Amino acid sequence: MPTHLGQNQYGKAENRVVRITRDGGTHHIKDLNVSVALSGDMDDVHLSGSNANVLPTDTTKNTVFAFAKEHGIESAEAFGIHLARHFVGSQEPIRRARIRIEEYGWERIPTAKEGDHSFVRTGQETRTTEISFDGEHWQVVSGLKDLVVMNSTDSEFWGFVKDKYTTLKEAHDRILATEVTARWRFNWTGDDQPQPQWEQAYADVRRQLLDAFAATYSLSLQQSLFAMGTRVMETRADVDEVRLSLPNKHHFLVDLEPFGLKNDNEVYLAADRPYGLIEGTVLRDGAEARIPVTD
């Protein structure tokens, strides 16, 4: 049966690099998980086994650690841009680089010790970014995952379609909780324009997502999703697309009547599965959707 080679890529995944910057007794931490994927003129290695165009994945790993020393890590985005430019610019067979990065946060522990170098790992969310470069065009998609949020009121769900299998009761005052996965695409196009202030941009988008979730009187999680994406677009001119994945972390009122107790929206069962999964993209008018639904 005739076959042909389709899209392909290779690289070194999940390079765990921690960079300590020492400013006297005050230290700063950047803790990244970096995955490199390269593609280009790679037919021969698949069809004949020739490695003539293959930069070893071990070399990509070494490059990540060397760049952490040589360039430092100002931000996940800036570090990924350095790597992508290097791989595409230094190896002729490599036509495209995709750098995916997860960043793990640390907070300082106040101590009586001299210096400022004690930290505790934060557990609120993981920061993400994906940089793609083909030698001419850039795409930067940043984001976060595992950010758990809850409104204990100001949420309803009623007026939905009902059929013979529907058992869910309408709710006019419910808990709304979700675990936010968000990705947002910057309209930065390359070196001919200044890069956004990546650290400030992340903090600002995160704040806008949280503010919109908290401020929206929600009749559905879909409504909250659109409000969150719209708030980012209204406040960040450098963002053209926001894609959100919001699992509904259901909280069901417990029936306490068998015990002679009234449950006035006070005691809930937190159910982890199955769960409703609400996903959607919010786009600036005139922009095209480029963040994949799945990858």
Side-chain angles (χ1 to χ4, degrees):
M1 178 180 297
T3 63
H4 66 278
L5 180 66
Q7 190 275 336
N8 61 87
Q9 61 202 29
Y10 80 103
K12 187 73 83 175
E14 300 202 36
N15 301 283
R16 290 288 283 107
V17 55
V18 175
R19 176 63 152 91
I20 307 295
T21 301
R22 291 173 168 81
D23 181 14
T26 300
H27 295 180
H28 306 273
I29 293 179
K30 282 292 186 180
D31 184 353
L32 306 183
N33 188 23
V34 182
S35 294
V36 178
L38 308 174
S39 57
D41 186 7
M42 299 295 163
D43 287 4
D44 285 349
V45 68
H46 291 88
L47 303 180
S48 68
S50 170
N51 293 313
N53 287 347
V54 176
L55 183 72
T57 64
D58 189 66
T59 302
T60 68
K61 174 203 70 177
N62 294 341
T63 304
V64 169
F65 289 100
F67 271 41
K69 168 62 178 178
E70 294 175 351
H71 299 281
I73 302 176
E74 177 186 346
S75 67
E77 289 86 353
F79 189 61
I81 288 169
H82 279 307
L83 288 169
R85 182 185 291 115
H86 167 78
F87 288 124
V88 174
S90 65
Q91 302 294 328
E92 193 278 331
I94 296 174
R95 309 290 170 74
R96 184 175 185 270
R98 185 194 69 202
I99 313 296
R100 286 178 172 167
I101 300 176
E102 296 178 342
E103 179 176 345
Y104 311 114
W106 294 82
E107 293 179 348
R108 299 187 183 280
I109 302 174
T111 70
K113 296 187 299 182
E114 183 179 352
D116 197 357
H117 53 259
S118 298
F119 301 84
V120 58
R121 171 81 173 264
T122 60
Q124 288 187 301
E125 85 271 2
T126 299
R127 179 176 171 177
T128 65
T129 193
E130 178 177 314
I131 293 92
S132 299
F133 181 52
D134 64 4
E136 182 178 357
H137 301 102
W138 291 92
Q139 179 168 290
V140 178
V141 178
S142 294
L144 56 81
K145 62 180 183 178
D146 306 324
L147 181 64
V148 180
V149 294
M150 174 191 289
N151 283 333
S152 57
T153 189
D154 286 352
S155 176
E156 306 179 23
F157 188 60
W158 52 272
F160 45 82
V161 175
K162 303 176 182 68
D163 66 13
K164 65 179 181 179
Y165 301 111
T166 302
T167 59
L168 185 68
K169 295 180 179 179
E170 294 190 341
H172 295 271
D173 185 5
R174 66 169 183 168
I175 286 177
L176 182 66
T178 187
E179 183 176 296
V180 180
T181 297
R183 291 175 289 167
W184 50 92
R185 177 172 57 81
F186 290 93
N187 50 38
W188 179 74
T189 58
D191 295 337
D192 59 336
Q193 62 181 128
Q195 295 184 24
Q197 298 296 316
W198 302 114
E199 299 290 279
Q200 179 182 335
Y202 177 80
D204 187 40
V205 173
R206 181 185 185 275
R207 183 177 67 253
Q208 300 303 335
L209 291 170
L210 292 176
D211 286 352
F213 177 82
T216 301
Y217 190 107
S218 180
L219 300 178
S220 67
L221 189 49
Q222 287 92 332
Q223 181 187 17
S224 295
L225 180 152
F226 187 73
M228 293 164 73
T230 297
R231 178 73 68 91
V232 173
M233 218 73 63
E234 290 175 344
T235 57
R236 297 292 312 189
D238 53 358
V239 173
D240 276 354
E241 178 182 3
V242 180
R243 175 149 190 88
L244 290 155
S245 177
L246 304 180
N248 197 332
K249 301 182 75 68
H250 298 293
H251 290 70
F252 298 109
L253 277 171
V254 178
D255 181 9
L256 299 178
E257 290 187 1
F259 318 117
L261 300 172
K262 181 181 179 181
N263 190 357
D264 188 16
N265 291 339
E266 296 169 305
V267 181
Y268 296 82
L269 167 68
D272 65 344
R273 66 193 66 181
Y275 53 85
L277 180 59
I278 312 303
E279 298 179 295
T281 301
V282 181
L283 293 161
R284 188 176 302 281
D285 285 349
E288 297 180 359
R290 297 179 186 171
I291 303 176
V293 177
T294 57
D295 193 293

